[in-house]
Amino acid sequence: MTAPRDPAPPGIDPALVDAAAEADGGPGGPDAAPASARSVWLRRLREWGGSLLFAVVVMQVVGALRSPDLPAAAPDFALASIDGTTHRLSDFRGQTVVINFWATWCGPCKVEMPSFAAFAENNPDIVVLGLANDVDPNKVRKVGRDAGVGYPLLMADRAVLRDYGVEVFPTTVVVEPDGSVGGVHTGMLFRPQLWWMTR
């Protein structure tokens, strides 16, 4: 049972007294503070979560609208990785492939790379390929190492950029196991969006 409150001193607005009491734990006193703090954080989480979800949806829509038109079948390519191994897209038929077009001078590309690295590590059944628009494999290697990239980084050429209509970096293409284009996004992507695009 809650003890009755003392009346407000003369000349003091009772509402101010109530506000001070609430700041000190509300009607239940200091013992009620944790519950009050929890409700505040839950409310903030709901607000921020809704805003974050809205931002992700907007980014997804804008990225799709800005993306190049591609043929139904993903154009094949054979490109050398920074370690000299040649990778062909057709070698991965039967698997979902994420192709990320990026550049060492592209800030947003480097911001999203750790998300791609984590996604590749947590989804070993999905092939992730980073196609770098650069002429210096050492630069590509350094950027990839700094971002913790474990997936293959390939040296893109003009032909593959033309075939995929890439004019803006980063651009990401998802290729379905049957070789068809499953999705295209221009702009940064993060793990929730990658998960959504590959499902």
Side-chain angles (χ1 to χ4, degrees), residues 9 27 46 55 63 65 72 82 88 121 131 169 174:
R46 282 195 298 269
L65 292 175
I82 55 176
R88 295 180 181 275
E121 185 176 350
L131 274 61
F169 299 96
V174 174

mmCIF file of all heavy atoms in Angstrom, residues 9 27 46 55 63 65 72 82 88 121 131 169 174:
data_model
loop_
_atom_site.group_PDB
_atom_site.id
_atom_site.type_symbol
_atom_site.label_atom_id
_atom_site.label_comp_id
_atom_site.label_asym_id
_atom_site.label_seq_id
_atom_site.Cartn_x
_atom_site.Cartn_y
_atom_site.Cartn_z
ATOM 1 N N PRO A 9 4.124 22.256 -0.333
ATOM 2 C CA PRO A 9 4.325 23.454 0.493
ATOM 3 C C PRO A 9 3.559 24.633 -0.086
ATOM 4 O O PRO A 9 3.286 24.683 -1.280
ATOM 5 C CB PRO A 9 5.839 23.680 0.411
ATOM 6 C CG PRO A 9 6.408 22.361 -0.021
ATOM 7 C CD PRO A 9 5.354 21.727 -0.862
ATOM 8 N N PRO A 27 4.721 6.936 -8.830
ATOM 9 C CA PRO A 27 3.876 6.736 -7.658
ATOM 10 C C PRO A 27 4.354 5.606 -6.778
ATOM 11 O O PRO A 27 4.132 5.600 -5.581
ATOM 12 C CB PRO A 27 2.497 6.415 -8.255
ATOM 13 C CG PRO A 27 2.538 7.018 -9.623
ATOM 14 C CD PRO A 27 3.967 6.935 -10.068
ATOM 15 N N ARG A 46 10.627 0.773 -30.056
ATOM 16 C CA ARG A 46 9.550 0.677 -31.050
ATOM 17 C C ARG A 46 9.646 1.834 -32.045
ATOM 18 O O ARG A 46 9.495 1.640 -33.251
ATOM 19 C CB ARG A 46 8.188 0.677 -30.361
ATOM 20 C CG ARG A 46 7.811 -0.651 -29.738
ATOM 21 C CD ARG A 46 6.331 -0.695 -29.403
ATOM 22 N NE ARG A 46 5.956 0.324 -28.426
ATOM 23 C CZ ARG A 46 5.960 0.130 -27.112
ATOM 24 N NH1 ARG A 46 6.308 -1.035 -26.617
ATOM 25 N NH2 ARG A 46 5.591 1.098 -26.300
ATOM 26 N N ALA A 55 13.423 3.235 -43.157
ATOM 27 C CA ALA A 55 14.624 3.643 -43.897
ATOM 28 C C ALA A 55 15.131 2.514 -44.789
ATOM 29 O O ALA A 55 15.528 2.740 -45.938
ATOM 30 C CB ALA A 55 15.713 4.090 -42.931
ATOM 31 N N GLY A 63 17.024 1.963 -54.397
ATOM 32 C CA GLY A 63 18.085 1.187 -55.035
ATOM 33 C C GLY A 63 17.574 0.388 -56.221
ATOM 34 O O GLY A 63 18.251 0.276 -57.238
ATOM 35 N N LEU A 65 14.934 1.189 -58.063
ATOM 36 C CA LEU A 65 14.561 2.121 -59.136
ATOM 37 C C LEU A 65 15.778 2.630 -59.897
ATOM 38 O O LEU A 65 15.695 2.902 -61.093
ATOM 39 C CB LEU A 65 13.772 3.297 -58.551
ATOM 40 C CG LEU A 65 12.387 2.971 -57.996
ATOM 41 C CD1 LEU A 65 11.773 4.198 -57.336
ATOM 42 C CD2 LEU A 65 11.471 2.454 -59.106
ATOM 43 N N ALA A 72 17.170 -11.468 -68.695
ATOM 44 C CA ALA A 72 16.665 -12.481 -67.762
ATOM 45 C C ALA A 72 17.783 -13.383 -67.258
ATOM 46 O O ALA A 72 17.806 -13.761 -66.081
ATOM 47 C CB ALA A 72 15.583 -13.310 -68.444
ATOM 48 N N ILE A 82 42.296 -11.519 -57.130
ATOM 49 C CA ILE A 82 43.546 -10.853 -56.751
ATOM 50 C C ILE A 82 44.665 -11.859 -56.477
ATOM 51 O O ILE A 82 45.837 -11.478 -56.439
ATOM 52 C CB ILE A 82 43.338 -9.936 -55.521
ATOM 53 C CG1 ILE A 82 42.730 -10.722 -54.353
ATOM 54 C CG2 ILE A 82 42.489 -8.742 -55.889
ATOM 55 C CD1 ILE A 82 42.585 -9.913 -53.081
ATOM 56 N N ARG A 88 34.626 -18.244 -63.101
ATOM 57 C CA ARG A 88 33.544 -18.084 -64.083
ATOM 58 C C ARG A 88 32.210 -18.121 -63.356
ATOM 59 O O ARG A 88 32.009 -18.966 -62.471
ATOM 60 C CB ARG A 88 33.578 -19.205 -65.127
ATOM 61 C CG ARG A 88 34.805 -19.204 -66.008
ATOM 62 C CD ARG A 88 34.751 -20.363 -67.007
ATOM 63 N NE ARG A 88 35.947 -20.379 -67.829
ATOM 64 C CZ ARG A 88 36.104 -19.653 -68.935
ATOM 65 N NH1 ARG A 88 35.106 -18.875 -69.354
ATOM 66 N NH2 ARG A 88 37.219 -19.713 -69.616
ATOM 67 N N GLU A 121 30.211 -15.102 -44.536
ATOM 68 C CA GLU A 121 30.654 -16.039 -43.500
ATOM 69 C C GLU A 121 29.489 -16.804 -42.900
ATOM 70 O O GLU A 121 29.598 -17.996 -42.604
ATOM 71 C CB GLU A 121 31.402 -15.280 -42.412
ATOM 72 C CG GLU A 121 32.001 -16.178 -41.347
ATOM 73 C CD GLU A 121 32.820 -15.399 -40.326
ATOM 74 O OE1 GLU A 121 33.082 -14.203 -40.545
ATOM 75 O OE2 GLU A 121 33.191 -16.020 -39.310
ATOM 76 N N LEU A 131 33.440 -7.714 -57.339
ATOM 77 C CA LEU A 131 34.067 -7.338 -58.609
ATOM 78 C C LEU A 131 34.538 -5.894 -58.509
ATOM 79 O O LEU A 131 33.725 -4.966 -58.493
ATOM 80 C CB LEU A 131 33.096 -7.506 -59.786
ATOM 81 C CG LEU A 131 33.046 -8.919 -60.407
ATOM 82 C CD1 LEU A 131 32.605 -9.957 -59.388
ATOM 83 C CD2 LEU A 131 32.145 -8.941 -61.624
ATOM 84 N N PHE A 169 28.544 2.916 -58.356
ATOM 85 C CA PHE A 169 29.050 1.983 -57.357
ATOM 86 C C PHE A 169 28.563 2.398 -55.967
ATOM 87 O O PHE A 169 28.507 3.583 -55.692
ATOM 88 C CB PHE A 169 30.585 1.945 -57.385
ATOM 89 C CG PHE A 169 31.143 1.491 -58.704
ATOM 90 C CD1 PHE A 169 31.537 2.415 -59.644
ATOM 91 C CD2 PHE A 169 31.256 0.143 -58.999
ATOM 92 C CE1 PHE A 169 32.046 2.019 -60.866
ATOM 93 C CE2 PHE A 169 31.765 -0.272 -60.212
ATOM 94 C CZ PHE A 169 32.163 0.663 -61.144
ATOM 95 N N VAL A 174 21.933 -10.231 -57.680
ATOM 96 C CA VAL A 174 21.738 -11.585 -57.163
ATOM 97 C C VAL A 174 21.368 -12.484 -58.332
ATOM 98 O O VAL A 174 20.441 -12.196 -59.089
ATOM 99 C CB VAL A 174 20.630 -11.628 -56.088
ATOM 100 C CG1 VAL A 174 20.347 -13.065 -55.672
ATOM 101 C CG2 VAL A 174 21.027 -10.805 -54.875
#
